[in-house]
Amino acid sequence: MTKDAPTPVDFWFDPLCPWAWMTSRWILEVERLRPIEVRWHVMSLSVLNEDKDVSEKYRRLLAEGWGPVRVAIAAEQKYGPEVLGRLYTELGTRHHHDKREFGPELYREALTAAGLDAALASAADSTEFDEALRASHKDGIDRVGQEVGTPVIEVEGSAFFGPVVSPIPRGEAAVKLFDGVVAVASTDGFFELKRTRTRDPIFD
């Protein structure tokens, strides 16, 4: 990595997932401290799990998950991928920090705050952008396989799910984690590193 050429870090997110939100705030902290450039992409837990046997409670949650990813894809289609990061921040702040449910009012507020057309909120209830949504999702998930969720990150050809972490590492701790996960993910033949979660997402 050099000053003149920041390393691209591709990040696939679903606004529905609190753990992806935690990871996204971590990668932004790394971007502040290291010469990387985060490039945002949309994936969907609703797409990922549509043919899987999941609990009825989770199925209801996934039904709600179509709205925010459709809005994100609609914004990307109209303005380009460079708007996804700030739209994700506005959606996630309202949903995860303010504990508000996804819906038309939240979408309009988030779009407006991100400097985008509030009318794109109507995409939440439309299938118009589902083909593009599925393509974006497939692009991310094909890099890691079907046995993962969100987020998916790729750095210099090495893709991985996660890291799943709480609270959000800051400062040198954020950089240390970044170096560690990239080192692990770039090791030939490495597949999995995991332990049981003992806390919920801690939003700060």
Side-chain angles (χ1 to χ4, degrees), residues 130-163:
D130 284 7
E131 183 177 351
L133 168 62
R134 291 178 183 276
S136 181
H137 172 85
K138 184 176 187 300
D139 184 27
I141 209 71
D142 280 354
R143 300 169 193 244
V144 290
Q146 295 290 327
E147 295 80 27
V148 302
T150 178
V152 169
I153 297 176
E154 183 173 88
V155 185
E156 297 185 314
S158 296
F160 52 92
F161 159 68

Side-chain angles (χ1 to χ4, degrees), residues 94-153:
R94 287 163 175 76
H95 182 65
H96 298 297
H97 286 266
D98 299 344
K99 308 299 182 186
R100 293 174 56 190
E101 291 186 6
F102 285 122
E105 183 180 1
L106 187 152
Y107 300 141
R108 287 192 294 269
E109 283 183 18
L111 286 159
T112 300
L116 309 176
D117 183 1
L120 293 175
S122 64
D125 298 316
S126 170
T127 60
E128 178 183 355
F129 300 97
D130 284 7
E131 183 177 351
L133 168 62
R134 291 178 183 276
S136 181
H137 172 85
K138 184 176 187 300
D139 184 27
I141 209 71
D142 280 354
R143 300 169 193 244
V144 290
Q146 295 290 327
E147 295 80 27
V148 302
T150 178
V152 169
I153 297 176

Side-chain angles (χ1 to χ4, degrees), residues 21-29 40 85 88-89 168 170:
W21 173 254
M22 300 288 288
T23 309
S24 73
R25 301 309 96 178
W26 159 74
I27 202 65
L28 287 174
E29 178 77 354
W40 303 94
Y88 181 28
T89 291
I168 301 163
R170 301 290 184 183

Side-chain angles (χ1 to χ4, degrees), residues 4-202:
D4 297 329
T7 298
V9 174
D10 290 285
F11 191 112
W12 279 262
F13 67 92
D14 183 334
L16 185 68
C17 179
W19 294 102
W21 173 254
M22 300 288 288
T23 309
S24 73
R25 301 309 96 178
W26 159 74
I27 202 65
L28 287 174
E29 178 77 354
V30 177
E31 188 178 47
R32 187 177 68 83
L33 298 168
R34 280 286 184 85
I36 68 168
E37 177 187 7
V38 183
R39 303 188 301 196
W40 303 94
H41 311 273
V42 183
M43 65 179 294
S44 170
L45 292 173
S46 301
V47 171
L48 182 67
N49 292 283
E50 61 185 344
D51 297 322
K52 294 181 180 178
D53 184 18
V54 299
S55 70
E56 186 57 36
K57 180 180 179 181
Y58 192 48
R59 182 69 63 193
R60 289 195 298 270
L61 181 66
L62 295 174
E64 299 170 9
W66 288 98
V69 291
R70 284 169 170 167
V71 170
I73 287 290
E76 181 183 28
Q77 294 278 296
K78 181 168 183 175
Y79 295 100
E82 60 272 11
V83 306
L84 285 176
R86 67 177 188 264
L87 177 57
Y88 181 28
T89 291
E90 298 299 341
L91 289 168
T93 298
R94 287 163 175 76
H95 182 65
H96 298 297
H97 286 266
D98 299 344
K99 308 299 182 186
R100 293 174 56 190
E101 291 186 6
F102 285 122
E105 183 180 1
L106 187 152
Y107 300 141
R108 287 192 294 269
E109 283 183 18
L111 286 159
T112 300
L116 309 176
D117 183 1
L120 293 175
S122 64
D125 298 316
S126 170
T127 60
E128 178 183 355
F129 300 97
D130 284 7
E131 183 177 351
L133 168 62
R134 291 178 183 276
S136 181
H137 172 85
K138 184 176 187 300
D139 184 27
I141 209 71
D142 280 354
R143 300 169 193 244
V144 290
Q146 295 290 327
E147 295 80 27
V148 302
T150 178
V152 169
I153 297 176
E154 183 173 88
V155 185
E156 297 185 314
S158 296
F160 52 92
F161 159 68
V164 177
V165 61
S166 179
I168 301 163
R170 301 290 184 183
E172 189 56 35
V175 171
K176 182 179 179 181
L177 177 58
F178 179 77
D179 290 341
V181 295
V182 171
V184 167
S186 61
T187 299
D188 181 50
F190 175 81
F191 297 109
E192 188 169 352
L193 182 70
K194 189 172 183 178
R195 58 186 174 189
T196 301
R197 300 176 198 176
T198 58
R199 64 180 67 152
D200 292 328
I202 300 170

